[in-house]
Amino acid sequence: MDHLTQLAQALRQSRGFAHKRDIAAVLPQLGSVAGVTSVPNGDDCAVLPDASGDGHLLLAIEGLVQDFIAAMPWFAGYSGVMVNLSDIAAMGGRPLAVVDALWAGEPEVAQQLLAGMRAACERYGVPLVGGHSNLHAGHGQLAVAVLGRAKRLISSFAARPGDRLLMAVDLRGEWQGGHPFWNASTSAPAERLRADLALLPQIAEAGLCDAGKDISMAGVLGTLLMLLECSGAGAHVDLARLPLPPGTPGWHETGEAAFAAHLRWLCAFPSYGYLLSVREAQAEVVQEVFDSHGIACADIGTVQPGARLTLQLGDAQTMLWDLAAEPFIGAAPALPTHKAAA
């Protein structure tokens, strides 16, 4: 079996893919509420009308798995805030406030979770305004929600055939122990974190992009599958174009060590990572925005008609997923309700 086929097979069996596919069991029970949500479920945030009439309110929430909390409670608390802020930014928004729901049976775990959340709120400049706590639980658990506001949306439902797929990721970081978390946040200057997060709403408001998602626990290709399913499209990706962290074997390298490194990166949850579907005429401008801030931004492929995500690496090609034959998260395509970028 060649290197590319092995990677595709391992991704289909990965924990990140499995967890995202759990969404399919939940979505049918939700549904958009007429007059309340203005974008279908399946996006990074719930979208609500802003009473001011100037844009949209965004509501994001994340729950953290217990083994993550047990292994790294401070970083889990920090990440609970960070990943929600990423969801808000991914939809072209700016965060307003954070709330949390915390369960813990050990005081030390609770203190570390809270300290991590507080550190993230301070560094990103977003207030932690309240929440719920239970310090007599059997296990540590954490959920964090963030409210934000967007003047112009970036949506999972707006990718079009012919769009260029851009992967923007901050490579100025390091792996978080043996876990699949690429951390470019906790050691970065606070001013840079805030400025980099603001790039997404700036891009949206300038009309440069209206489609995309943040790269989540399913990695860049799992995130792409969610984007494609929501938009009712397929795509072709050249893995050799994906930016790699320093010290990672090049995409042309094979063997056991290279396979492990490549799979880890394809499964990675980066602290700053976005997948954008951009009209071809705007792609170079969007890349320059990220490049000017020291963030790697690469054109990794194209959105295509159909429902298949195909991968290329050198002369090898394989199909990662056929959404027509097997839905990923069960999100039905829908026309976006916001004005598309030119």
Side-chain angles (χ1 to χ4, degrees), residues 27-51:
L27 278 181
Q29 308 303 319
L30 301 176
S32 297
V33 180
V36 179
T37 58
S38 55
V39 170
N41 281 296
D43 228 321
D44 287 305
C45 305
V47 181
L48 308 172
D50 190 339

Side-chain angles (χ1 to χ4, degrees), residues 267-284:
C267 292
F269 194 158
S271 61
Y272 188 100
Y274 297 91
L275 183 69
L276 301 178
S277 184
V278 183
R279 308 293 105 82
E280 189 168 12
Q282 311 289 4
E284 187 174 340

Side-chain angles (χ1 to χ4, degrees), residues 52-69:
S52 70
D54 183 23
H56 314 265
L57 292 176
L58 304 176
L59 188 58
I61 187 169
E62 294 281 351
L64 285 82
V65 294
Q66 291 180 359
D67 56 353
F68 180 26
I69 292 171

Side-chain angles (χ1 to χ4, degrees), residues 83-110:
V83 298
N84 272 290
L85 299 181
S86 182
D87 281 341
I88 296 291
M91 292 197 68
R94 294 177 172 84
L96 299 174
V98 178
V99 295
D100 70 275
L102 167 67
W103 294 263
E106 302 175 15
E108 177 62 21
V109 172

Side-chain angles (χ1 to χ4, degrees), residues 258-337:
F259 173 81
H262 294 161
L263 181 61
R264 188 183 194 189
W265 183 237
L266 291 174
C267 292
F269 194 158
S271 61
Y272 188 100
Y274 297 91
L275 183 69
L276 301 178
S277 184
V278 183
R279 308 293 105 82
E280 189 168 12
Q282 311 289 4
E284 187 174 340
V285 177
V286 173
Q287 285 182 281
E288 289 173 354
V289 170
F290 289 107
D291 289 343
S292 68
H293 283 250
I295 297 167
C297 185
D299 183 333
I300 65 171
T302 58
V303 178
Q304 298 183 338
R308 294 184 174 186
L309 173 53
T310 58
L311 307 178
Q312 175 183 340
L313 185 57
D315 295 330
Q317 292 196 34
T318 191
M319 183 181 72
L320 178 63
W321 207 279
D322 183 351
L323 291 163
E326 187 175 8
F328 192 63
I329 62 171
L335 292 175
T337 57

